[in-house]
């Protein structure tokens, strides 16, 4: 089992399914008022270079529910790469805490932290990947249909969410159809690695420029912001590039029964309309809720001594 949770591509289908199963159990236990104290006395350091609502709160609440504690570290407090080299930060934290969550711009920084730290490092989102979100998404999908029967269509930017969905689907052998502009396809290295994983798992992965083609017959239609954190200067240009990729009532006529997914935060009126985000097919707040449960399962898996 890998030490870290940096990329779903590093994990086996068996491990991911076990984490999802434990997440389902932890959700059930919490609703029954039970909070297993599996991480009692443990501490998690959470380093966030970018804003966050869901990732920050769910990791902090999750640690506290498991009997542990979390410390939020902001870049200005740490000065990673300016006040202190990333490797030295990782070595220090490893002497004090039981795990590290890092949300960074550069994926290479999370990889460096994970290589140097002796404690587990969890990717809380980088420009390249957002694996914790996809685990919550898979839990949410599994609450509706058998994962193997899901037909997931992702419409919009080939960003960190698209990349992570590619890895999740290709490890687990699922069907994922991507619709992005040619200019904003997922990262080619992610696409190539997914293709290799898919060849082994039997996943059906496809890409098209046409959102209608992707969503036709899909059981889940997923979208994400057209302007990810750090790309704000490109927002006006991106609104034009992705104008034909909005998830709205007209597009969903091609997938009559599909559930609608979004990792949030949503840019309402851009990638998704209010009507759809707030509509009866939307399961976006189930996804957000499941961040809590699945990350508790990830933390247990990485931190609890076996
Ligand atoms: N979906 C997600 O990661 O949300 P935050 O950016 O608020 O953490
Ligand atoms: N693609 C988005 C995801 C936010 C959870 C971003 O990186 O800003």
């Amino acid at each position: 089992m890998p030490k870290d949770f940096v990329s779903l591509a590093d994990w086996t289908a068996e491990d991911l399914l076990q984490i999802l199963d434990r997440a389902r159990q932890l959700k059930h236990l919490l609703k029954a008022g039970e909070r297993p104290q599996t991480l009692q006395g443990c501490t998690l350091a959470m380093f966030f270079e970018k804003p966050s609502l869901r990732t920050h709160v769910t990791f902090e609440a999750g640690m506290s529910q498991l009997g542990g504690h979390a410390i939020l570290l902001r870049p200005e407090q740490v000065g990673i790469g300016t006040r202190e080299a990333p490797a030295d930060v990782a070595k220090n934290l490893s002497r004090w805490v039981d795990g590290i969550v890092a949300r960074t711009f550069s994926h290479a920084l999370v990889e460096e932290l994970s290589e140097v730290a002796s404690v587990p490092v969890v990717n809380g989102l980088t420009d390249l990947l957002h694996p914790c979100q996809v685990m919550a998404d898979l839990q949410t999908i599994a609450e509706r249909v058998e994962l193997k029967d899901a037909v997931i269509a992702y419409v919009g930017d080939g960003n960190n969410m698209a990349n992570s969905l590619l890895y999740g689907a290709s490890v687990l052998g699922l069907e994922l159809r991507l619709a992005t502009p040619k200019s904003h396809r997922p990262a080619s290295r992610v696409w190539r690695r997914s293709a290799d994983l898919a060849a082994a798992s039997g996943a059906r992965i496809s890409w098209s420029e046409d959102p209608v083609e992707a969503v036709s017959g899909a059981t889940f239609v997923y979208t994400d912001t057209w302007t990810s954190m750090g790309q704000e200067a490109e927002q006006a240009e991106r609104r034009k590039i992705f104008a034909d990729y909005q998830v709205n009532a007209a597009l969903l006529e091609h997938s009559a029964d599909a559930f609608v997914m979004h990792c949030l935060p949503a840019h309402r009126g851009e990638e998704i309309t209010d009507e759809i985000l707030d509509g009866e097919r939307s399961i976006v707040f189930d996804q957000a809720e499941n961040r809590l449960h699945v990350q508790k399962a990830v933390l247990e898996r990485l931190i609890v001594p076996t």
Side-chain angles (χ1 to χ4, degrees):
M1 187 188 97
K3 172 179 80 68
D4 309 291
F5 202 78
V6 168
S7 166
L8 297 179
D10 299 335
W11 286 72
T12 63
E14 191 189 0
D15 281 336
L16 295 183
L17 291 172
Q18 280 172 6
I19 293 170
L20 289 171
D21 198 49
R22 178 61 176 160
R24 189 177 49 78
Q25 205 178 19
L26 285 167
K27 183 171 185 174
H28 183 74
L29 287 170
L30 187 67
K31 291 194 190 290
E34 286 180 53
R35 298 177 180 210
Q37 302 291 288
T38 45
L39 294 185
Q40 198 163 27
C42 294
T43 307
L44 182 71
M46 304 186 298
F47 174 69
F48 278 70
E49 285 185 341
K50 301 181 182 184
S52 171
L53 174 67
R54 280 147 290 272
T55 309
H56 171 190
V57 174
T58 51
F59 270 113
E60 189 157 340
M63 276 306 281
S64 128
Q65 288 171 12
L66 293 169
H69 176 66
I71 303 170
L72 180 68
L73 298 168
R74 287 284 178 198
E76 65 274 15
Q77 296 173 303
V78 180
I80 204 163
T82 50
R83 182 171 181 268
E84 191 155 12
D88 290 345
V89 172
K91 286 179 193 166
N92 276 272
L93 289 174
S94 299
R95 299 288 180 113
W96 306 319
V97 301
D98 303 282
I100 301 168
V101 172
R103 167 169 288 198
T104 61
F105 290 93
S106 148
H107 187 72
L109 177 54
V110 169
E111 287 182 330
E112 183 180 356
L113 294 174
S114 73
E115 275 157 29
V116 177
S118 60
V119 296
V121 172
V122 178
N123 179 354
L125 178 147
T126 64
D127 286 347
L128 190 75
L129 296 174
H130 195 7
C132 294
Q133 179 66 50
V134 168
M135 289 301 281
D137 300 338
L138 292 168
Q139 183 179 358
T140 309
I141 290 171
E143 289 171 347
R144 304 284 172 167
V145 303
E146 296 272 337
L147 281 180
K148 66 176 176 41
D149 296 330
V151 180
I152 308 162
Y154 175 91
V155 176
D157 187 15
N159 60 13
N160 45 10
M161 280 314 313
N163 291 339
S164 297
L165 284 165
L166 269 171
Y167 280 158
S170 53
V171 169
L172 289 169
L174 311 184
E175 177 163 359
L176 174 66
R177 307 163 178 182
L178 298 166
T180 74
K182 222 178 243 164
S183 55
H184 289 74
R185 292 183 66 146
S188 48
R189 68 170 153 142
V190 172
W191 184 262
R192 282 195 301 271
R193 181 99 192 265
S194 295
D196 291 344
L197 291 164
S201 70
R204 289 140 294 157
I205 306 289
S206 59
W207 171 85
S208 145
E209 260 188 303
D210 180 5
V212 171
E213 186 181 325
V215 307
S216 295
T219 48
F220 296 86
V221 174
Y222 199 122
T223 191
D224 181 23
T225 182
W226 296 336
T227 306
S228 286
M229 291 179 276
Q231 299 173 332
E232 289 78 7
E234 301 168 22
Q235 184 158 12
E237 189 194 342
R238 287 177 161 270
R239 278 194 191 124
K240 287 185 211 145
I241 294 169
F242 293 103
D244 295 336
Y245 291 82
Q246 187 183 63
V247 172
N248 54 30
L251 181 65
L252 292 181
E253 275 176 22
H254 301 276
S255 51
D257 300 320
F259 293 104
V260 174
M261 302 182 73
H262 193 307
C263 57
L264 304 176
H267 291 54
R268 289 168 173 268
E270 292 190 19
E271 75 275 4
I272 191 164
T273 58
D274 283 338
E275 178 193 11
I276 297 303
L277 192 70
D278 300 326
E280 57 186 19
R281 301 197 220 170
S282 169
I283 52 173
V284 301
F285 297 108
D286 293 341
Q287 294 172 256
E289 177 184 341
N290 287 335
R291 295 292 304 277
L292 174 67
H293 310 300
V294 88
Q295 287 161 198
K296 283 165 72 177
V298 168
L299 289 170
E300 276 190 347
R301 180 88 185 189
L302 295 175
I303 295 175
V304 174
T306 46

